[in-house]
């Protein structure tokens, strides 16, 4: 049985609470030693651009920059949907640490034959 985790996030800062929950799940997996991948699609691809993920979603919630730092510090990685990213005319040379452009084939290659626990937000 695999211990990998994939968190698919399609929501961006239009719903910061959903982004926070997705990151709490991803950070929790990564900090427990699970290889963890966040697959960013739709509006979430904007989060892969430096300076976008700012603020705090709610009272008592950790800030988005804190969650992003913890995720990378725990070994998490980001895969950013190229179709969504390019449709928004974003710069592929300007990505946050740990992010790379890649679609479903690289995601399945990362998962491999072992499978992964997945969450979708």
């Amino acid at each position: 049985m695999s211990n990998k985790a994939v968190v698919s996030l399609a929501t961006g800062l239009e719903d910061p609470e959903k982004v926070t929950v997705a990151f709490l799940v991803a950070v929790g997996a990564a900090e427990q030693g699970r290889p963890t991948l966040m697959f960013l699609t739709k509006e979430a691809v904007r989060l892969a651009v430096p300076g976008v993920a700012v603020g705090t979603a709610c009272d008592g919630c950790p800030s988005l920059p804190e969650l992003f730092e913890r995720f990378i510090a725990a070994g998490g990685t980001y895969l950013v949907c190229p179709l969504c990213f390019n449709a928004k005319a974003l710069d592929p040379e300007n990505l946050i640490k740990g992010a790379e452009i890649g679609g479903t084939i690289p995601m399945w290659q990362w998962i491999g034959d072992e499978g992964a626990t997945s969450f979708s937000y």
Side-chain angles (χ1 to χ4, degrees), residues 2-101:
S2 173
N3 70 343
K4 290 181 177 180
V6 176
V7 177
S8 178
L9 179 60
T11 303
L13 292 181
E14 71 277 11
D15 190 344
E17 289 180 343
K18 187 179 277 190
V19 172
T20 298
V21 170
F23 268 89
L24 287 169
V25 170
V27 166
E31 288 181 345
Q32 290 297 305
R34 290 178 180 268
T36 306
L37 174 74
M38 288 200 74
F39 186 49
L40 305 178
T41 63
K42 296 176 66 175
E43 281 301 311
V45 298
R46 296 182 191 278
L47 299 172
V49 175
V52 171
V54 297
T56 303
C58 58
D59 288 337
C61 289
S63 72
L64 292 176
E66 176 188 341
L67 290 171
F68 277 56
E69 284 179 31
R70 287 175 58 194
F71 183 65
I72 290 300
T77 59
Y78 303 98
L79 193 58
V80 183
C81 174
L83 296 174
C84 303
F85 195 84
N86 293 335
K88 291 165 181 41
L90 300 171
D91 180 3
E93 300 299 318
N94 188 31
L95 296 171
I96 60 174
K97 183 178 179 182
E100 66 178 73
I101 303 295

